[in-house]
Amino acid sequence: MTKGTFPVESFKGIETPFYYYDIDLLKKTLSIVKELTHKYGYHQHYAVKANANHKILQLIAAAGFGADCVSGNEVKAAISAGFPCSKIVFAGVGKTDKEINLGIDYNIFCFNVESLPELEVINELAEKKGKKVSVAIRINPNVDAHTHEYITTGLNENKFGFSMSSLDKVFDKIKTLQNIELIGLHFHIGSQITEVETFEPLCERINELQNQCEAKGIQLKNINVGGGLGIDYDDPNANPVPPFEAYFELFHKNLELRKDQMVHFELGRSIVAQCGALISRVTYVKEGDSKKFVILDAGMTDLIRPALYQAYHKVENISSDLPIEKYDVVGPICESSDSFVKDYELNGTKRGDLVALRSAGAYGEIMASQYNCREIPKAYFSDKL
Ligand SMILES: *Cc1c(COP(=O)(O)O)cnc(C)c1O
């Protein structure tokens, strides 16, 4: 497999580890999504939780996207990066009163509501402000996303959204709440979904629900299908851009829309993952009895996905063209889970080499922690090194 191209010379003076973002690839990805969005008349809300780096957010906002937020601070980060309040949606099972008030004060587009008590609190807080607030209800469609159990969200047994069976109760409740307007249905079945056909049963479920709503005389203007499109972690060089065409076409073919209905998407990972890499320096190469360990200056505090969900990131030695050898590549943190890959083929590696952990633009930098009193890695951009 080929290696990615990195400006290794320009990295020389930069303290490692750091995140490096390929801005050309981000812009290319955004323009492809934008074109398809126009083609089908869809609406995009970038899922801020995937990467909330200010410059990345600014570029996505400038491309005309809205934002999907899951905390009050994400709403603030989105607004400060230039996302219009009128294109912000706010999801999450545990929105606090403070966060709800913030969303109401900013007149965001819509709250994606996940429980009856949340509906009541939003109504109460809106009433105090003399406002009517738009909500969509998040429905748990009981669709298996065929992904890791920690990132599947659409099955009955997890904490997100309303179950299909509770919907009549929810619709009845909403009728009694004066300061809430129901404007749509919201779904999000999971993340890192690599087979686009997985979204077919979601479309079927949405079609059934629409019939159900219609039978009850409920008309909804907005259908939000969430995010979840996966990326190719195995071969980011062959597939730098996810299969957006097949993905949007699937929804176009399978969703039965009513007149003037708007379809919203909340893509996170598929927008930003491939443009980012974590760049780290080799601190030691340690020879064990039966293995060689490459010990990096980056660890699970900088990129937690492998430790958290056994995720794989392609590792490349970007300083070496020496013959391939096998290594375990690990971090310096005092946890056995602080390991990136095992028995892995890398070009012959020595102390001081630079290593790239690929496809780290999503759920990378934003998940960094200070465990072991470590520093949060800085970010650098291809257009400004
Ligand atoms: C995380 C999340 C997304 C984005 O998921 P990706 O897999 O990164 O596309 C979208 N919507 C909601 C509600 C989420 O929680």
Side-chain angles (χ1 to χ4, degrees):
M1 262 190 242
T2 56
K3 281 202 265 187
T5 44
F6 290 93
V8 180
E9 283 303 307
S10 309
F11 289 168
K12 275 208 170 121
I14 304 179
E15 192 179 345
T16 51
F18 61 90
Y19 275 90
Y20 171 72
Y21 294 104
D22 177 344
I23 295 303
D24 287 339
L25 178 56
L26 176 60
K27 285 185 174 166
K28 182 178 165 192
T29 306
L30 289 170
S31 83
I32 290 169
V33 174
K34 213 172 142 176
E35 195 173 304
L36 291 161
T37 300
H38 278 284
K39 176 173 166 188
Y40 295 120
Y42 292 156
H43 299 262
Q44 302 292 340
H45 304 266
Y46 164 67
V48 172
K49 77 173 191 283
N51 187 321
N53 180 290
H54 187 67
K55 171 156 173 162
I56 302 278
L57 289 183
Q58 281 181 317
L59 287 164
I60 299 172
F65 283 54
D68 161 41
C69 301
V70 292
S71 75
N73 282 352
E74 280 193 3
V75 172
K76 286 191 207 165
I79 292 169
S80 86
F83 288 93
C85 299
S86 59
K87 288 188 185 172
I88 291 178
V89 295
F90 187 0
V93 295
K95 302 177 195 79
T96 63
D97 294 20
K98 184 178 165 188
E99 291 176 312
I100 292 169
N101 276 325
L102 183 121
I104 297 175
D105 289 342
Y106 278 117
N107 296 317
I108 61 167
F109 177 65
C110 172
F111 287 89
N112 292 330
V113 175
E114 312 223 11
S115 68
L116 278 179
E118 184 192 336
L119 269 177
E120 285 167 1
V121 170
I122 293 177
N123 185 63
E124 199 182 297
L125 296 174
E127 190 181 352
K128 280 193 191 141
K129 293 178 187 289
K131 285 190 174 177
K132 191 148 187 162
V133 170
S134 297
V135 304
I137 50 176
R138 176 166 181 178
I139 295 165
N140 190 331
N142 201 20
V143 169
D144 190 346
H146 303 292
T147 184
H148 192 280
E149 59 172 323
Y150 286 5
I151 50 175
T152 189
T153 55
L155 284 172
N156 273 346
E157 68 249 33
N158 73 50
K159 68 178 178 181
F160 298 102
F162 291 94
S163 69
M164 302 277 281
S165 59
S166 67
L167 287 183
D168 282 345
K169 223 165 53 190
V170 177
F171 290 139
D172 290 344
K173 180 79 198 177
I174 287 175
K175 276 190 219 140
T176 70
L177 302 174
Q178 302 297 316
N179 294 75
I180 275 182
E181 186 180 5
L182 178 64
I183 64 161
L185 303 178
H186 174 233
F187 307 83
H188 173 68
I189 59 171
S191 201
Q192 184 50 16
I193 297 167
T194 48
E195 305 292 330
V196 293
E197 303 78 49
T198 302
F199 293 99
E200 256 173 46
L202 171 64
C203 293
E204 282 165 27
R205 219 43 73 79
I206 293 172
N207 294 339
E208 287 163 28
L209 270 167
Q210 293 247 63
N211 292 336
Q212 226 173 297
C213 289
E214 211 162 54
K216 294 198 91 186
I218 298 168
Q219 283 170 0
L220 297 168
K221 209 150 180 191
N222 299 279
I223 300 294
N224 183 333
V225 300
L229 179 62
I231 64 137
D232 189 346
Y233 283 99
D234 292 324
D235 198 352
N237 301 315
N239 296 303
V241 179
F244 291 117
E245 272 172 44
Y247 173 75
F248 289 118
E249 194 186 331
L250 183 139
F251 284 95
H252 179 68
K253 277 200 176 140
N254 288 278
L255 275 184
E256 292 163 9
L257 296 175
R258 305 300 188 264
K259 196 171 173 295
D260 295 331
Q261 257 183 344
M262 301 199 284
V263 181
H264 302 256
F265 291 82
E266 300 171 336
L267 295 170
R269 183 191 315 268
S270 54
I271 306 290
V272 290
Q274 296 292 30
C275 76
L278 177 63
I279 308 296
S280 174
R281 202 172 284 283
V282 175
T283 310
Y284 298 108
V285 178
K286 172 174 161 176
E287 307 242 355
D289 286 342
S290 58
K291 284 178 175 263
K292 283 186 191 168
F293 293 95
V294 168
I295 302 172
L296 301 180
D297 62 6
M300 63 191 282
T301 54
D302 308 293
L303 179 61
I304 201 178
R305 298 187 65 258
L308 188 61
Y309 356 82
Q310 298 150 336
Y312 167 70
H313 287 267
K314 186 170 193 268
V315 183
E316 296 171 349
N317 184 330
I318 57 175
S319 305
S320 168
D321 289 319
L322 295 173
I324 297 289
E325 295 187 47
K326 274 200 176 169
Y327 303 94
D328 282 13
V329 180
V330 303
I333 314 294
C334 300
E335 299 285 341
S336 296
S337 59
D338 185 31
S339 167
F340 291 113
V341 284
K342 292 196 161 80
D343 296 317
Y344 195 78
E345 293 187 347
L346 277 185
N347 292 102
T349 297
K350 59 182 191 322
R351 172 174 161 84
D353 285 353
L354 285 177
V355 161
L357 292 131
R358 302 292 307 279
S359 314
Y363 308 105
E365 185 186 353
I366 191 65
M367 282 191 168
S369 81
Q370 291 186 301
Y371 182 44
N372 286 194
C373 286
R374 286 169 60 82
E375 276 169 36
I376 300 289
K378 290 202 175 75
Y380 295 86
F381 304 90
S382 59
D383 62 344
K384 217 176 154 193
L385 270 177

